[in-house]
Amino acid sequence: SGSASSGSASANPSSAAAEDAALRARSLAALAANDSMVYLDGPLVYACAACRTHLTTHDDVVSKSFHGRHGRAYLFDQCVNVEAGPAENRLL
């Protein structure tokens, strides 16, 4: 069986895994380069409302009904162009 070079990456699970690995590699490379931004490709990219910095793609949305400290929020599997702060124990 041959593989097509064009088409949706999410149609093939191994292609989706390769895409996830590539996204994580780009994110880590950007963090290592300080101030380097990762720009995501795809039909639906979620971005910061204030500065339009790319954060994640539609494929990484786990839940749209998550509730955080400040109300309704989206829960993502992975994000780029963000820094994690120290771990905290708190009630949501």
Side-chain angles (χ1 to χ4, degrees):
S1 68
S3 68
S5 61
S6 63
S8 174
S10 62
N12 183 345
S14 63
S15 294
E19 186 177 322
D20 286 347
L23 180 62
R24 289 173 204 253
R26 287 192 317 196
S27 177
L28 291 174
L31 289 174
N34 297 331
D35 294 336
S36 293
M37 295 300 232
V38 175
Y39 295 94
L40 302 171
D41 295 324
L44 184 56
V45 173
Y46 290 87
C48 174
C51 66
R52 306 304 299 159
T53 299
H54 288 190
L55 299 173
T56 193
T57 63
H58 180 69
D59 293 337
D60 289 318
V61 175
V62 174
S63 173
K64 290 185 179 181
S65 61
F66 185 75
H67 288 276
R69 180 169 59 180
H70 299 290
R72 185 173 176 244
Y74 286 5
L75 180 62
F76 300 122
D77 183 38
Q78 60 184 348
C79 284
V80 296
N81 300 322
V82 295
E83 290 184 22
E88 299 178 6
N89 287 324
R90 59 184 176 170
L91 297 174
L92 295 178

